[in-house]
Amino acid sequence: MEVQFNDYLISTDKTLLNYETIHKLLAQTYWANKRSIERINKSIETSLCFGVYHGNRQIGFARIITDWATTYWLCDVVIEDLYRGKGIGTRLVETIISSEDLKDLSGFLGTADAHGLYEQYGFVKDADRFMVRRP
């Protein structure tokens, strides 16, 4: 899947992904900054990935974990610092949740600071219902 907007491209083509860029982007986040490169690579291999590109340069990334029938987990949504505040992250989330493969599935995610972004797309807090188990 490819979506072109302004000077940007959002694509699920894994051959376009720049692993080095993804490693750097995730290393700057609060949720993935301790993940090993091997773990990041494995997560990319086993997920539906969305890359965001400005020309030949990857500037954003997101991953989806799904069973393709009932649910998906949206994770690792990140945009390079220089490109934040331009609506790119919003367009990325919009593209993901409206994609043919995901639009009719229940979506889940975790965030500490971007509730407003996701609430625009129908995500709601449900702290009473969800549990987590970490390794």
Side-chain angles (χ1 to χ4, degrees):
M1 178 189 92
E2 288 193 354
V3 172
Q4 188 80 42
F5 69 102
N6 300 328
D7 292 335
Y8 305 100
L9 171 69
I10 298 173
S11 176
T12 56
D13 182 350
K14 284 189 178 181
T15 65
L16 298 177
L17 294 174
N18 182 318
Y19 280 56
E20 184 177 332
T21 296
I22 296 167
H23 299 156
K24 288 178 183 175
L25 289 171
L26 291 176
Q28 298 170 16
T29 67
Y30 66 84
W31 68 85
N33 61 2
K34 294 188 181 9
R35 281 188 207 156
S36 69
I37 289 174
E38 294 78 21
R39 188 168 295 238
I40 291 169
N41 290 349
K42 179 73 171 182
S43 72
I44 292 168
E45 292 167 15
T46 58
S47 300
L48 172 61
C49 298
F50 289 77
V52 184
Y53 307 90
H54 186 221
N56 291 328
R57 180 178 179 190
Q58 184 169 357
I59 60 152
F61 178 73
R63 274 188 323 116
I64 295 289
I65 303 164
T66 185
D67 64 4
W68 302 100
T70 60
T71 59
Y72 66 86
W73 180 266
L74 172 59
C75 50
D76 292 341
V77 179
V78 61
I79 302 295
E80 185 180 318
D81 283 343
L82 294 173
Y83 290 88
R84 290 186 187 158
K86 299 179 183 218
I88 298 167
T90 302
R91 188 63 182 261
L92 175 58
V93 172
E94 180 182 296
T95 299
I96 292 168
I97 66 162
S98 64
S99 70
E100 280 300 312
D101 290 330
L102 305 173
K103 69 178 182 174
D104 296 323
L105 307 184
S106 295
F108 299 90
L109 61 86
T111 186
D113 60 359
H115 297 93
L117 168 64
Y118 298 111
E119 286 169 347
Q120 294 176 62
Y121 297 101
F123 287 91
V124 295
K125 294 180 188 178
D126 195 349
D128 293 335
R129 204 167 144 194
F130 295 99
M131 299 175 70
V132 65
R133 179 187 172 275
R134 302 211 187 274

